[in-house]
Amino acid sequence: MANPAQVTGAPEPVRAAPGAFLTPLFTDRRVAAVLGLGFAQGIPFLLVYATQSAWLVQAKVPLATIGLMSELTIAYKLKFLWAPFLDRHDAPLLGRWLGRRRGWIVATQILVALALAGIAFGDPAHWLAWTVAFSLALGVAGATQDVVIDGWRITAAPPEQQALMSSWSEIGYRIGNLAAGAGALYLSDAYGWRAAYLCMAALMAPGTIAALLAPEPPAPETPATGGFVETVWAPIRDLLARLGPLAVPVLALVAGFRMPGYVSSAMAIPLFKTLGYSNTDIATVTKLFGFWIALGGTFLASAIIPRIGMMASLLIGTVTASASHLALAYLAWHGGHGGAAFWTFALTVGIDGFAYAFASIVLITYMSRLSATAHAASQYALLTSLCALPGSLLAGFSGFVIEWTGFTWFFVGTSLIGVPVAVLCVLVARWHGPMEAPGTAT
């Protein structure tokens, strides 16, 4: 069994010459490809539920129902179940032409575009079942796209280039999120929701072009024996064996780390709409302004982790992210829009977005350190599913809670969820020791 310190330690700082980060974008087609693929990854998730919740509010769908519809993202929490099979088998038709990794990428992107078009031709005010069915299909296609793109990124470049590949993938992802958030909201105000979703379907094209231009890595060497249970269990068994006695507390920490954020985000846009902000107001503040705020949180996390260590960064991340929900509680209590109230809205969203971005990068780094090279795609899918599932399940009841407590006390409650997570983080650090030894799981 490997020393757990090797799978939880902070990465050593990387010092590169000025311009070294930008140069590969123009000299290495893998880096250019991962930027486009990251963009494609950033589009589906918000359109399954978060951005769509503004449409649902306009369609006068009850808040309780909107809260339940957050469960349409369930595929992102269960993707670890089919991730190992994507490592073993080629995509129908496209796999023979493009190879296993790129074949699956293009196949999932086609499915994402079709699902977006399906939602576009729906009408949640009069036929909610249509919207639910195609949103669920979009979630499955988007989650599968995440798995296959992550698998391509991990296998297309050697370990020493993974930090660079991940950075450009994250930049592409944030730009895709900007398009699916601000872009869709702006388009909905100007041309309606049908045009907005059809445009989002068309925006999958750059990702498909990136996949076609990307090099195909060697097919993964996966054993051909074993049925469904063994295929799914093998990467889990490896992870549990390496973590040893710390498996339960470490996995509980991963599961709880973003729980407050998932519960809170389910009702953020409904709060903004209830306070009277337009889709354009929300897009400007949460997406355009929020994009730069999120980049600031990302850069700060990248700079802090090598300096103070992994566990200290995790503690700061969970405390600040949970505490930031008090800003949303203040906005709900303050109410109103326009004038000074608009700047209260902007400041509130900025605080919450900065803390969320910081905590997300810290957690991504931690989960990446936990994943073994031999099972990187499957174990990373497992950890991201574990991270998202508890919070997503709780988010499904958020509308009912708000009907009972109101928005203000709801966001106070989501901030308090982070208290036991912070305590667990401290306990894991004490049980484990410093946990700062550099190294990666293998």
Side-chain angles (χ1 to χ4, degrees):
M1 181 184 70
N3 185 346
Q6 292 181 311
V7 292
T8 53
E12 294 179 341
V14 178
R15 295 177 176 84
F21 182 76
L22 287 173
T23 301
L25 181 63
F26 305 101
T27 60
D28 189 337
R29 66 183 176 128
R30 295 173 300 182
V31 177
V34 84
L35 177 64
L37 294 174
F39 175 81
Q41 281 184 284
I43 290 178
F45 185 77
L46 290 182
L47 298 170
V48 175
Y49 171 71
T51 299
Q52 189 184 75
S53 65
W55 188 0
L56 300 176
V57 172
Q58 288 182 205
K60 302 189 184 306
V61 176
L63 279 179
T65 302
I66 294 175
L68 287 173
M69 288 181 67
S70 68
E71 304 301 340
L72 293 173
T73 62
I74 190 67
Y76 283 88
K77 293 81 181 176
L78 299 179
K79 59 187 179 182
F80 71 93
L81 291 175
W82 59 88
F85 296 91
L86 301 173
D87 279 336
R88 288 187 175 208
H89 305 289
D90 292 344
L93 302 177
L94 291 172
R96 180 175 300 179
W97 174 38
L98 297 173
R100 181 168 301 175
R101 299 290 187 190
R102 295 190 304 151
W104 277 119
I105 291 173
V106 173
T108 56
Q109 289 171 343
I110 292 172
L111 293 176
V112 166
L114 291 174
L116 287 169
I119 295 174
F121 287 98
D123 181 4
H126 300 96
W127 194 7
L128 187 60
W130 175 284
T131 300
V132 169
F134 277 97
S135 296
L136 183 61
L138 176 61
V140 173
T144 307
Q145 179 190 225
D146 277 2
V147 171
V148 294
I149 289 179
D150 286 337
W152 177 87
R153 173 177 54 80
I154 292 169
T155 55
E160 61 270 17
Q161 289 186 294
Q162 285 301 316
L164 180 69
M165 296 283 282
S166 298
S167 297
W168 281 108
S169 176
E170 182 70 11
I171 291 172
Y173 182 87
R174 291 199 178 279
I175 297 173
N177 258 215
L178 185 63
L185 290 171
Y186 281 133
L187 286 168
S188 69
D189 269 357
Y191 304 105
W193 283 105
R194 175 170 297 179
Y197 267 78
L198 288 175
C199 285
M200 294 302 107
L203 281 181
M204 292 302 297
T208 302
I209 294 171
L212 294 175
L213 297 178
E216 173 67 15
E221 297 180 3
T222 53
T225 58
F228 175 84
V229 174
E230 174 59 23
T231 300
V232 175
W233 177 244
I236 301 175
R237 181 174 57 227
D238 173 80
L239 180 62
L240 295 176
R242 288 187 294 104
L243 289 175
L246 284 176
V248 172
V250 166
L251 295 179
L253 177 59
V254 170
F257 192 84
R258 291 303 301 142
M259 185 186 298
Y262 274 100
V263 178
S264 172
S265 62
M267 285 291 127
I269 289 183
L271 167 65
F272 305 152
K273 295 293 291 183
T274 300
L275 293 177
Y277 295 104
S278 69
N279 290 343
T280 298
D281 290 335
I282 296 171
T284 300
V285 173
T286 65
K287 305 306 177 184
L288 294 184
F289 174 67
F291 175 78
W292 301 105
I293 291 292
L295 282 185
T298 299
F299 291 143
L300 181 63
S302 300
I304 282 182
I305 293 171
R307 288 167 173 78
I308 68 174
M310 192 73 260
M311 296 310 297
S313 299
L314 280 169
L315 180 60
I316 293 174
T318 190
V319 170
T320 56
S322 299
S324 70
H325 300 169
L326 296 176
L328 291 170
Y330 175 78
L331 179 66
W333 171 77
H334 184 272
H337 68 286
F342 181 83
W343 291 108
T344 301
F345 172 44
L347 180 61
T348 296
V349 170
I351 292 172
D352 185 61
F354 186 90
Y356 182 93
F358 180 92
S360 295
I361 294 301
V362 171
L363 183 61
I364 288 170
T365 304
Y366 187 58
M367 293 190 299
S368 297
R369 303 291 289 179
L370 291 173
S371 301
T373 303
H375 302 281
S378 297
Q379 288 182 355
Y380 193 81
L382 169 66
L383 291 169
T384 54
S385 297
L386 179 64
C387 165
L389 185 58
S392 175
L393 293 175
L394 285 179
F397 299 97
S398 56
F400 295 103
V401 175
I402 285 176
E403 289 181 348
W404 179 50
T405 66
F407 280 106
T408 300
W409 286 108
F410 170 79
F411 288 112
V412 170
T414 61
S415 70
L416 294 177
I417 295 175
V419 174
V421 180
V423 172
L424 180 59
C425 186
V426 172
L427 292 177
V428 169
R430 288 187 176 182
W431 292 334
H432 192 281
M435 292 200 297
E436 309 299 357
T440 56
T442 58

